[in-house]
Amino acid sequence: MSLTLGHGPLSGDPARGNFTIDGPEHRIFVQRSPKRVRVEIGGEIVADTTRALRLHETGHLPVYYMPLDDVRRDLLEPTDLATTCPFKGEASYWSVVVGDRIEENVAWTYADPLDGVDVIAGHVAFYLDRVDAIYEESVRLVGHPRDPYHRVDTMRSDRRVHVSLDGEVLAETRRPMAVFETGLQPRWYIPRADVRTARLTQSDKVTVCPYKGVASYWSLDDGPANVAWSYDEPLPEGLGLADHVCFLGDDITVQVDIDR
């Protein structure tokens, strides 16, 4: 669905064209990020850099690697954990200690990375789901680092969208918001006023999209679970999706027509 996932050029099954990409099936691409990146744990800024590397790897989401010189070494404690990546080499791990709080093995480094990725030597990466916050400039990151090769286009449409389950109409509109996202089928978001909300019950499921924001989910009161979702506070790429609902499920039919 981006540079390294789906059918992206560095994925395991890249789309075909009038060119070839030489090299192994598993590919790694490292690019310097122009953004200021900060990592916060326990109220302390553990890392603060304008020299972060963004590592793209086949089948994986992007990862920031930050120079050790831009990390609070006084908050890092080496551990005995070591892992081996056949594509990058042997990783050693660090815990972060802030006051009484210890985040064990929350960061890792490749002291002697394999040929071809030696640029990440002297850099450290963090498990972002275990830190309190990560900032790009002064904006708190939601989910993983954004892939600059992943695009989300949110736009108004005048197509007719009809959503049903076994012939029962759940929603119908001629004023949807269309979302075109790299590697995904178009998604159609329907104004809540055009949805039979009485049939929906909010569930406990929540997902995070670094491009659109935090989604809450809805189930049918007597049917399948988590068949609809909404973004109450969408990120800039999803502006316009607030107070809209999108449907998707094995038993859900979403019909999109053009009025002529």
Side-chain angles (χ1 to χ4, degrees):
M1 59 187 298
S2 59
L3 184 69
T4 59
L5 299 173
H7 299 289
L10 300 186
S11 69
D13 183 24
R16 300 298 184 264
N18 62 346
F19 63 92
T20 59
I21 298 177
D22 295 329
E25 291 186 4
H26 192 99
R27 303 178 178 96
I28 295 176
F29 172 59
V30 182
Q31 184 178 37
R32 186 172 299 280
S33 173
K35 299 175 181 176
R36 181 187 183 188
V37 180
R38 287 173 288 171
V39 175
E40 181 180 354
I41 298 177
E44 295 281 353
I45 297 298
V46 180
D48 186 348
T49 187
T50 57
R51 303 182 295 158
L53 300 176
R54 189 174 49 237
L55 185 143
H56 303 265
E57 183 173 0
T58 297
H60 295 274
L61 296 169
V63 176
Y64 276 132
Y65 280 78
M66 308 177 196
L68 276 167
D69 290 343
D70 295 338
V71 178
R72 288 276 305 274
R73 297 291 292 272
D74 59 307
L75 301 179
L76 296 183
E77 288 189 358
T79 74
D80 295 330
L81 180 64
T83 60
T84 300
C85 170
F87 310 105
K88 297 188 292 293
E90 184 172 298
S92 55
Y93 286 75
W94 306 73
S95 296
V96 170
V97 181
V98 179
D100 295 332
R101 178 175 172 182
I102 302 176
E103 281 294 336
E104 295 185 354
N105 300 312
V106 70
W108 68 93
T109 59
Y110 289 93
D112 187 21
L114 298 178
D115 291 343
V117 292
D118 49 295
V119 68
I120 64 174
H123 289 67
V124 60
F126 292 83
Y127 286 110
L128 300 187
D129 59 343
R130 294 173 52 195
V131 306
D132 294 340
I134 181 169
Y135 299 91
E136 294 177 332
E137 298 300 328
S138 57
V139 178
R140 185 169 181 169
L141 188 68
V142 177
H144 60 81
R146 298 182 183 188
D147 186 337
Y149 304 96
H150 185 105
R151 185 179 177 92
V152 178
D153 290 320
T154 300
M155 55 187 63
R156 295 184 182 87
S157 175
D158 56 5
R159 298 203 213 186
R160 175 179 175 271
V161 180
H162 182 277
V163 181
S164 62
L165 173 67
D166 296 330
E168 177 190 1
V169 177
L170 301 177
E172 187 170 14
T173 191
R174 285 180 169 81
R175 48 178 188 152
M177 295 295 293
V179 175
F180 302 95
E181 185 169 356
T182 302
L184 298 178
Q185 292 296 317
R187 302 289 187 236
W188 301 92
Y189 286 75
I190 299 174
R192 201 165 299 199
D194 296 340
V195 177
R196 291 187 59 195
T197 54
R199 291 280 281 115
L200 299 178
T201 301
Q202 191 161 8
S203 74
D204 295 331
K205 182 177 179 179
V206 173
T207 61
V208 175
C209 171
Y211 309 98
K212 298 187 294 294
V214 178
S216 54
Y217 281 73
W218 307 80
S219 301
L220 291 177
D221 53 9
D222 58 353
N226 302 316
V227 295
W229 66 90
S230 59
Y231 292 95
D232 293 333
E233 298 180 0
L235 295 175
E237 287 89 338
L239 286 181
L241 297 184
D243 205 34
H244 285 64
V245 180
C246 187
F247 289 83
L248 184 69
D250 292 339
D251 299 317
I252 300 292
T253 298
V254 179
Q255 183 177 342
V256 181
D257 298 317
I258 300 176
D259 287 335
R260 299 186 185 279

PDB file of all heavy atoms in Angstrom, residues 10-23:
ATOM      1  N   LEU A  10       9.290  -1.358  -3.663  1.00  0.00           N
ATOM      2  CA  LEU A  10      10.188  -2.091  -2.770  1.00  0.00           C
ATOM      3  C   LEU A  10       9.456  -3.168  -1.983  1.00  0.00           C
ATOM      4  O   LEU A  10       9.983  -3.686  -0.995  1.00  0.00           O
ATOM      5  CB  LEU A  10      10.882  -1.118  -1.800  1.00  0.00           C
ATOM      6  CG  LEU A  10      11.732  -0.019  -2.440  1.00  0.00           C
ATOM      7  CD1 LEU A  10      12.477   0.757  -1.369  1.00  0.00           C
ATOM      8  CD2 LEU A  10      12.718  -0.597  -3.447  1.00  0.00           C
ATOM      9  N   SER A  11       8.250  -3.520  -2.401  1.00  0.00           N
ATOM     10  CA  SER A  11       7.504  -4.591  -1.747  1.00  0.00           C
ATOM     11  C   SER A  11       7.970  -5.945  -2.274  1.00  0.00           C
ATOM     12  O   SER A  11       8.806  -6.025  -3.181  1.00  0.00           O
ATOM     13  CB  SER A  11       6.003  -4.419  -2.008  1.00  0.00           C
ATOM     14  OG  SER A  11       5.708  -4.669  -3.378  1.00  0.00           O
ATOM     15  N   GLY A  12       7.412  -7.003  -1.702  1.00  0.00           N
ATOM     16  CA  GLY A  12       7.769  -8.339  -2.167  1.00  0.00           C
ATOM     17  C   GLY A  12       7.168  -8.691  -3.500  1.00  0.00           C
ATOM     18  O   GLY A  12       7.616  -9.628  -4.164  1.00  0.00           O
ATOM     19  N   ASP A  13       6.141  -7.952  -3.913  1.00  0.00           N
ATOM     20  CA  ASP A  13       5.470  -8.207  -5.190  1.00  0.00           C
ATOM     21  C   ASP A  13       5.225  -6.873  -5.887  1.00  0.00           C
ATOM     22  O   ASP A  13       4.091  -6.397  -5.978  1.00  0.00           O
ATOM     23  CB  ASP A  13       4.145  -8.945  -4.948  1.00  0.00           C
ATOM     24  CG  ASP A  13       3.442  -9.312  -6.245  1.00  0.00           C
ATOM     25  OD1 ASP A  13       4.128  -9.427  -7.285  1.00  0.00           O
ATOM     26  OD2 ASP A  13       2.211  -9.487  -6.213  1.00  0.00           O
ATOM     27  N   PRO A  14       6.289  -6.235  -6.385  1.00  0.00           N
ATOM     28  CA  PRO A  14       6.133  -4.902  -6.958  1.00  0.00           C
ATOM     29  C   PRO A  14       5.313  -4.916  -8.237  1.00  0.00           C
ATOM     30  O   PRO A  14       5.291  -5.901  -8.973  1.00  0.00           O
ATOM     31  CB  PRO A  14       7.576  -4.466  -7.228  1.00  0.00           C
ATOM     32  CG  PRO A  14       8.338  -5.748  -7.388  1.00  0.00           C
ATOM     33  CD  PRO A  14       7.679  -6.716  -6.451  1.00  0.00           C
ATOM     34  N   ALA A  15       4.612  -3.804  -8.470  1.00  0.00           N
ATOM     35  CA  ALA A  15       3.884  -3.642  -9.730  1.00  0.00           C
ATOM     36  C   ALA A  15       4.863  -3.638 -10.897  1.00  0.00           C
ATOM     37  O   ALA A  15       6.026  -3.252 -10.750  1.00  0.00           O
ATOM     38  CB  ALA A  15       3.078  -2.347  -9.696  1.00  0.00           C
ATOM     39  N   ARG A  16       4.400  -4.083 -12.042  1.00  0.00           N
ATOM     40  CA  ARG A  16       5.272  -4.210 -13.215  1.00  0.00           C
ATOM     41  C   ARG A  16       5.221  -2.932 -14.063  1.00  0.00           C
ATOM     42  O   ARG A  16       4.233  -2.216 -14.095  1.00  0.00           O
ATOM     43  CB  ARG A  16       4.853  -5.411 -14.063  1.00  0.00           C
ATOM     44  CG  ARG A  16       4.921  -6.742 -13.306  1.00  0.00           C
ATOM     45  CD  ARG A  16       6.346  -7.060 -12.852  1.00  0.00           C
ATOM     46  NE  ARG A  16       6.434  -8.368 -12.225  1.00  0.00           N
ATOM     47  CZ  ARG A  16       6.376  -8.570 -10.912  1.00  0.00           C
ATOM     48  NH1 ARG A  16       6.208  -7.548 -10.099  1.00  0.00           N
ATOM     49  NH2 ARG A  16       6.479  -9.789 -10.420  1.00  0.00           N
ATOM     50  N   GLY A  17       6.299  -2.671 -14.736  1.00  0.00           N
ATOM     51  CA  GLY A  17       6.366  -1.521 -15.625  1.00  0.00           C
ATOM     52  C   GLY A  17       7.405  -1.774 -16.698  1.00  0.00           C
ATOM     53  O   GLY A  17       7.839  -2.917 -16.921  1.00  0.00           O
ATOM     54  N   ASN A  18       7.847  -0.726 -17.369  1.00  0.00           N
ATOM     55  CA  ASN A  18       8.847  -0.882 -18.421  1.00  0.00           C
ATOM     56  C   ASN A  18      10.259  -0.706 -17.858  1.00  0.00           C
ATOM     57  O   ASN A  18      11.133  -0.138 -18.496  1.00  0.00           O
ATOM     58  CB  ASN A  18       8.590   0.118 -19.551  1.00  0.00           C
ATOM     59  CG  ASN A  18       8.703   1.561 -19.077  1.00  0.00           C
ATOM     60  OD1 ASN A  18       8.722   1.821 -17.878  1.00  0.00           O
ATOM     61  ND2 ASN A  18       8.755   2.481 -20.029  1.00  0.00           N
ATOM     62  N   PHE A  19      10.448  -1.206 -16.623  1.00  0.00           N
ATOM     63  CA  PHE A  19      11.751  -1.131 -15.974  1.00  0.00           C
ATOM     64  C   PHE A  19      11.870  -2.308 -15.012  1.00  0.00           C
ATOM     65  O   PHE A  19      10.888  -2.994 -14.698  1.00  0.00           O
ATOM     66  CB  PHE A  19      11.904   0.190 -15.203  1.00  0.00           C
ATOM     67  CG  PHE A  19      10.910   0.335 -14.075  1.00  0.00           C
ATOM     68  CD1 PHE A  19      11.223  -0.076 -12.796  1.00  0.00           C
ATOM     69  CD2 PHE A  19       9.652   0.881 -14.322  1.00  0.00           C
ATOM     70  CE1 PHE A  19      10.299   0.049 -11.767  1.00  0.00           C
ATOM     71  CE2 PHE A  19       8.730   1.017 -13.301  1.00  0.00           C
ATOM     72  CZ  PHE A  19       9.054   0.598 -12.020  1.00  0.00           C
ATOM     73  N   THR A  20      13.044  -2.549 -14.533  1.00  0.00           N
ATOM     74  CA  THR A  20      13.284  -3.580 -13.531  1.00  0.00           C
ATOM     75  C   THR A  20      14.038  -2.963 -12.364  1.00  0.00           C
ATOM     76  O   THR A  20      14.763  -1.981 -12.521  1.00  0.00           O
ATOM     77  CB  THR A  20      14.106  -4.753 -14.094  1.00  0.00           C
ATOM     78  OG1 THR A  20      15.367  -4.253 -14.558  1.00  0.00           O
ATOM     79  CG2 THR A  20      13.360  -5.440 -15.222  1.00  0.00           C
ATOM     80  N   ILE A  21      13.844  -3.546 -11.189  1.00  0.00           N
ATOM     81  CA  ILE A  21      14.569  -3.127 -10.004  1.00  0.00           C
ATOM     82  C   ILE A  21      15.534  -4.250  -9.659  1.00  0.00           C
ATOM     83  O   ILE A  21      15.121  -5.350  -9.276  1.00  0.00           O
ATOM     84  CB  ILE A  21      13.623  -2.843  -8.831  1.00  0.00           C
ATOM     85  CG1 ILE A  21      12.676  -1.692  -9.197  1.00  0.00           C
ATOM     86  CG2 ILE A  21      14.408  -2.497  -7.574  1.00  0.00           C
ATOM     87  CD1 ILE A  21      11.652  -1.371  -8.139  1.00  0.00           C
ATOM     88  N   ASP A  22      16.809  -4.002  -9.856  1.00  0.00           N
ATOM     89  CA  ASP A  22      17.802  -5.023  -9.578  1.00  0.00           C
ATOM     90  C   ASP A  22      18.036  -5.127  -8.069  1.00  0.00           C
ATOM     91  O   ASP A  22      17.896  -4.160  -7.332  1.00  0.00           O
ATOM     92  CB  ASP A  22      19.129  -4.678 -10.265  1.00  0.00           C
ATOM     93  CG  ASP A  22      19.006  -4.703 -11.778  1.00  0.00           C
ATOM     94  OD1 ASP A  22      18.193  -5.496 -12.275  1.00  0.00           O
ATOM     95  OD2 ASP A  22      19.713  -3.918 -12.439  1.00  0.00           O
ATOM     96  N   GLY A  23      18.400  -6.327  -7.628  1.00  0.00           N
ATOM     97  CA  GLY A  23      18.715  -6.505  -6.214  1.00  0.00           C
ATOM     98  C   GLY A  23      17.886  -7.606  -5.606  1.00  0.00           C
ATOM     99  O   GLY A  23      17.100  -8.285  -6.285  1.00  0.00           O
TER     100      GLY A  23
END
